[in-house]
C-alpha cells in the first residue's frame, strides 16, 4: 500500500471549514483513498472514500488532485465534536491482490477545534 | 440496524488468566477484523476473518493469541495467560464489500482490557 503523510496536528476555529491535507505520492491506479477519524477513546469512524473524483457526503468532502498524489478532507463547518484524530489511508481495491484487506492506520492528524 | 457490537466493554484480568473478547458484526457483514490500540499509540491490525476461516493473521502475536469466527455466533478474540503488556483497547470491525471494490470498515466501540 502507498504510504501517506499527514501533519501531526492542526487547529481550526469552530464554525470554520477544516481542511486536512494528506500526501500519498506513491499511490497506484488501483488504490482508494479512505478517511477515518477516532474521537477520544471511541472506535474509529468511517468518513469518506474516493478513487479519482471528488466526493461529498453528509459528513465531509474529499478533494483528490488530478495526479492523485494528494488529497484534502474538508469538514465544511467544524464543531467542537469534530475534535479527533483523522486518518488518511490508501488501500488497493478489493480483489486486486496485495494481501490483507485490513486498513493500516498511521499516526493521523490530531484536529483540535477551538471555541 | 445495530452496529458492530463488542462485549465486554471493560474487562479486568489478573496476570495468567484468560481473556475472551466477543464481536458481533453488522447484519449482513461476513468479514471481521480485529485491531489493538495500546495506550497512547495507534491502531494496529491483528487479524482478518471470514466465516469459519482466518484469512490473514499477520498482525497476531505468535503465542497466546487466537481468533475465530464460527458459522454461528460472534467472532472471539482469545488471549491466554494475559500479561500486563496485553492491557489495551481491542477494536473489532466488520465490512461489506462494495461493488466498486472499496472496502468500508465499521468499527465497534471497543473492549478495554486491563491486566492487573
Amino acid at each position: 500500500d502507498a504510504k501517506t503523510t499527514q501533519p501531526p496536528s492542526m487547529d481550526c476555529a469552530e464554525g470554520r471549514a477544516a481542511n486536512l491535507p494528506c500526501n500519498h505520492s506513491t499511490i497506484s491506479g488501483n488504490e482508494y483513498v479512505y478517511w477515518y477519524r477516532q474521537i477520544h477513546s471511541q472506535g474509529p469512524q468511517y468518513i469518506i472514500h474516493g478513487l479519482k473524483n471528488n466526493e461529498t457526503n453528509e459528513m465531509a468532502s474529499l478533494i483528490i488532485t488530478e495526479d492523485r498524489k494528494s488529497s484534502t478532507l474538508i469538514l465544511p463547518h467544524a464543531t467542537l465534536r469534530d475534535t479527533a484524530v483523522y486518518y488518511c489511508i490508501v488501500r488497493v481495491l478489493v480483489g486486486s491482490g496485495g494481501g490483507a484487506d485490513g486498513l493500516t492506520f498511521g499516526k493521523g492528524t490530531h484536529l483540535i477545534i477551538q471555541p | 440496524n445495530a452496529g458492530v457490537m463488542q462485549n465486554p466493554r471493560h474487562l479486568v484480568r489478573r496476570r495468567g488468566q484468560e481473556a475472551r473478547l466477543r464481536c458481533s458484526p453488522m447484519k449482513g457483514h461476513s468479514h471481521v477484523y480485529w485491531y489493538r490500540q495500546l495506550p497512547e499509540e495507534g491502531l494496529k491490525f491483528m487479524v482478518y476473518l471470514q466465516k469459519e476461516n482466518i484469512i490473514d493473521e499477520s498482525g497476531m502475536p505468535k503465542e497466546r493469541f487466537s481468533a475465530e469466527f464460527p458459522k454461528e455466533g460472534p467472532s472471539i478474540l482469545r488471549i491466554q495467560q494475559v500479561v500486563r503488556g496485553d492491557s489495551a483497547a481491542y477494536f473489532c470491525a466488520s465490512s461489506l464489500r462494495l461493488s466498486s471494490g472499496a472496502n468500508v470498515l465499521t468499527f465497534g466501540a471497543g473492549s478495554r482490557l486491563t491486566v492487573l
Side-chain angles (χ1 to χ4, degrees):
Chain A
D1 294 332
K3 181 179 177 180
T4 62
T5 304
Q6 299 177 254
S9 65
M10 291 181 61
D11 287 352
C12 178
E14 188 178 17
R16 304 296 294 268
N19 296 277
L20 292 94
C22 178
N23 285 320
H24 31 80
S25 58
T26 59
I27 194 170
S28 59
N30 65 345
E31 289 181 312
Y32 271 98
V33 179
Y34 297 86
W35 282 84
Y36 285 75
R37 72 180 182 183
Q38 187 175 25
I39 297 170
H40 182 63
S41 297
Q42 298 183 18
Q45 177 187 24
Y46 164 77
I47 301 174
I48 199 167
H49 73 277
L51 185 61
K52 297 179 184 177
N53 302 319
N54 298 337
E55 302 287 345
T56 295
N57 62 21
E58 65 279 3
M59 289 183 68
S61 295
L62 174 60
I63 308 298
I64 302 174
T65 57
E66 192 168 342
D67 63 7
R68 302 186 68 239
K69 293 183 183 300
S70 66
S71 60
T72 301
L73 178 74
I74 301 173
L75 307 179
H77 305 287
T79 71
L80 298 177
R81 288 176 296 179
D82 292 321
T83 292
V85 178
Y86 288 76
Y87 298 97
C88 170
I89 302 164
V90 174
R91 190 71 179 94
V92 297
L93 272 68
V94 169
S96 297
D101 287 310
L103 300 174
T104 301
F105 288 80
K107 295 186 182 301
T109 296
H110 187 192
L111 175 66
I112 299 171
I113 306 301
Q114 305 283 0
Chain B
N1 184 16
V4 177
M5 304 301 293
Q6 291 190 248
N7 66 82
R9 292 292 309 278
H10 300 275
L11 182 64
V12 178
R13 285 287 179 266
R14 297 191 180 280
R15 281 179 296 170
Q17 293 184 318
E18 178 180 286
R20 285 194 180 215
L21 309 177
R22 289 176 291 279
C23 170
S24 295
M26 286 187 68
K27 187 176 181 179
H29 286 194
S30 59
H31 306 270
V32 166
Y33 309 80
W34 285 93
Y35 284 79
R36 177 166 67 173
Q37 188 169 36
L38 296 169
E40 306 304 321
E41 294 191 14
L43 289 146
K44 301 296 183 187
F45 167 78
M46 298 181 75
V47 62
Y48 160 45
L49 311 100
Q50 294 180 20
K51 283 287 187 181
E52 300 184 277
N53 289 305
I54 295 174
I55 307 303
D56 182 358
E57 55 183 349
S58 58
M60 288 278 271
K62 293 289 184 270
E63 297 177 345
R64 301 187 297 107
F65 284 72
S66 62
E68 63 177 9
F69 188 16
K71 186 176 180 180
E72 301 291 338
S75 175
I76 305 289
L77 180 66
R78 180 183 179 203
I79 312 172
Q80 295 178 288
Q81 298 174 314
V82 296
V83 301
R84 289 216 174 107
D86 296 332
S87 295
Y90 292 84
F91 292 98
C92 171
S94 69
S95 75
L96 176 66
R97 302 287 176 80
L98 304 179
S99 58
S100 62
N103 189 27
V104 174
L105 272 60
T106 301
F107 284 82
S111 292
R112 279 150 187 83
L113 172 66
T114 301
V115 179
L116 301 178

